[in-house]
Amino acid sequence: MLHFELVTPEKLVRSEDVYMVVVPGTEGDFGVLEGHAPLMSTIRDGDLAIYRTEKGEPETIRIQGGFAEVGTKGLTVLAEQVG
């Protein structure tokens, strides 16, 4: 499972283990699974798609601006605003 955190300047919004997250990157959407190579990207306004299981329907969360970082501990999305 992929460890996923969604953070705003005010608070930690989400911290959980999920199957995959699709992030709205400024150069296109990208999916992150467990074991993804390290990556840093700016993100555009759009919807995060969070898949809890491989074949499950995604939960979407609207985000505005920020950065996404994939590292050894998983995916962290630092969003300017959520919702």
Side-chain angles (χ1 to χ4, degrees):
M1 296 295 281
L2 170 71
H3 186 71
F4 164 64
E5 290 190 346
L6 175 58
V7 183
T8 67
E10 293 82 32
K11 65 179 179 176
L12 174 64
V13 176
R14 195 63 76 90
S15 179
E16 61 187 324
D17 291 334
V18 298
Y19 174 71
M20 178 176 74
V21 179
V22 178
V23 180
T26 52
E27 297 190 21
D29 293 356
F30 61 93
V32 180
L33 295 160
E34 180 180 24
H36 194 287
L39 169 77
M40 186 112 181
S41 175
T42 53
I43 52 178
R44 68 180 195 288
D45 297 355
D47 291 330
L48 280 174
I50 303 161
Y51 294 82
R52 287 196 164 72
T53 62
E54 183 175 359
K55 299 188 189 309
E57 289 294 314
E59 173 189 0
T60 58
I61 299 176
R62 187 83 179 157
I63 59 171
Q64 294 180 327
F67 296 89
E69 179 182 15
V70 181
T72 56
K73 295 183 180 184
L75 168 65
T76 302
V77 174
L78 307 163
E80 293 170 10
Q81 287 189 320
V82 173

